Amino acid sequence: MKQIGSLMNLGVIQNYKKYLPVNKNTPIITMGEGQTPLIKSTNIINSINCSNLYFKFEGCNPTGSFKDRGMVFAIAKALETKSKIIACASTGNTSASAAAYGARFGLKTIVIVPNGKIASGKLAQAIAYGAKIISIDGNFDQGLSIIRELSDDNNVTIVNSINPFRIEGQKTAAFEIIDELGDSPDSLFIPVGNAGNITAYWKGFTEYLKYEKSSKLPILMGYQAEGAAPLVKGEPIEKPETIASAIRIGNPASWESAIAARNESGGLIDSVTDDEILSAYEMLASQEGIFCEPASAASLAGLIKTNLINPQSIKDKTIVCVVTGSGLKEPELAEKQFNSKPINIKPELETVKEAIMNL
Ligand SMILES: *Cc1c(COP(=O)(O)O)cnc(C)c1O
């Protein structure tokens, strides 16, 4: 494909193939994932003790979450090995992403989701893209263990983040941050569920340091929801509970690599309450114009918590909060959570004027 000016996004495989395990048989496919905006904070920065705050808004990916970065590469590798079927367990976004890329690149897609525990927009996506959807009366962890057993069948490619190519694709988010800032930030705050993404960022940051694209490594600050915080508790949680469905996970697949990322970066994996998550979710939308899903706000909730308990640790620092997915995935939550509500009146100028005066 011809590049038109510099405005066209060629996707994460083309943009970073030098740093990915791409060979001559790997198809360079894309749906325009990656190159998501790194948005500088204009308002929240005023209440936080750091000097440069950015939000990496991954909700701008083609299916509305960062999962597309890893999915495009997992799909490219599935095509390379002539696989015909892809499968995953999902809290929602992985299934939306797999279904979209599967539809576009001619792979049959099977997704296992927890019945009643997936945001309406994510389910709508999987339906629209035409995936085979299996809804189980169980949670994500149970779905993933079924998927692990399915992977014994050679015809099925698992596209959960236990697929190493998912991690490879997702590490490009760290590359983009460094490419844009000119160096690594001092700290990266990130939501943690199955822990693939924190693993991927750490891989990206360490590789770019090795290639001398950056001069330092960031401190990684990972945040789980309090009712689903196995990495903080140090043991799996059998019945994880949180409003942030994308991180409602009790036994993360990338447990060890998440702990390694924490330890090697001198960082922390902590938890935030659902109230703290919802408060950060509201702040991002109403103060920065960034409408994300609740799980995505765990990073800012973690930064606010850090600002309260250890302000010195972020003073004068450059900080990036990863905002993992779009708020449009779960519109009914916004209707419940935010104060601003539509007022219903007659279609007459005088009545509208009166209503505006009373706002
Ligand atoms: C998948 C997901 C997460 C959690 O990422 P992990 O790699 O599972 O830790 C967080 N937020 C959103 C919106 C997600 O889709």
Side-chain angles (χ1 to χ4, degrees), residues 65-67 93 191-197 246-247 249 293 295-296 324-325:
S65 85
F66 72 83
K67 299 297 198 300
N93 280 331
V192 176
N194 212 24
N197 212 26
I247 53 174
I249 291 174
E293 63 172 285
S296 309
T324 45

Side-chain angles (χ1 to χ4, degrees), residues 27-268:
I28 312 291
I29 56 172
T30 186
M31 294 216 309
E33 63 295 317
Q35 291 199 357
T36 54
L38 187 65
I39 304 168
K40 192 161 185 172
S41 172
T42 49
N43 291 313
I44 294 175
I45 185 86
N46 298 321
S47 49
I48 301 239
N49 195 32
C50 68
S51 46
N52 280 304
L53 174 58
Y54 297 87
F55 303 103
K56 179 69 167 161
F57 190 24
E58 292 287 282
C60 294
N61 278 296
T63 75
S65 85
F66 72 83
K67 299 297 198 300
D68 294 340
R69 292 178 184 276
M71 196 57 67
V72 71
F73 200 51
I75 299 298
K77 286 297 190 179
L79 294 171
E80 181 185 319
T81 54
K82 310 251 182 303
S83 176
K84 298 272 180 273
I85 306 171
I86 55 172
C88 64
S90 178
T91 61
N93 280 331
T94 300
S95 65
S97 186
Y101 283 83
R104 184 167 178 85
F105 297 104
L107 299 169
K108 182 179 273 195
T109 307
I110 300 163
V111 304
I112 300 183
V113 297
N115 187 10
K117 300 281 187 185
I118 143 169
S120 62
K122 302 176 186 179
L123 187 58
Q125 286 179 292
I127 293 170
Y129 299 133
K132 298 265 170 277
I133 306 163
I134 299 164
S135 186
I136 56 166
D137 292 322
N139 60 31
F140 168 84
D141 302 288
Q142 291 166 304
L144 185 59
S145 59
I146 295 167
I147 283 287
R148 282 180 190 277
E149 285 173 45
L150 267 183
S151 72
D152 296 340
D153 178 344
N154 289 333
N155 295 314
V156 180
T157 300
I158 306 306
V159 295
N160 279 104
S161 56
I162 52 175
N163 178 330
F165 302 124
R166 279 275 311 276
I167 306 290
E168 288 294 326
Q170 282 171 216
K171 76 185 179 187
T172 59
F175 295 167
E176 286 178 14
I177 290 171
I178 292 172
D179 286 341
E180 196 157 343
L181 293 178
D183 202 348
S184 164
D186 296 302
S187 311
L188 182 96
F189 286 71
I190 180 171
V192 176
N194 212 24
N197 212 26
I198 191 172
T199 301
Y201 270 89
W202 187 240
K203 191 164 198 291
F205 284 124
T206 51
E207 288 182 9
Y208 246 25
L209 180 71
K210 204 176 70 199
Y211 291 116
E212 298 179 348
K213 299 281 252 177
S214 61
S215 70
K216 59 179 190 241
L217 289 167
I219 292 168
L220 293 199
M221 306 288 283
Y223 289 88
Q224 302 201 286
E226 195 177 65
L231 297 174
V232 182
K233 301 243 156 66
E235 58 185 19
I237 311 281
E238 206 173 315
K239 292 200 167 72
E241 272 312 329
T242 167
I243 191 155
S245 58
I247 53 174
R248 189 187 283 132
I249 291 174
N251 192 8
S254 298
W255 188 300
E256 271 142 41
S257 50
I259 298 297
R262 177 196 71 188
N263 294 347
E264 289 165 26
S265 74
L268 181 74

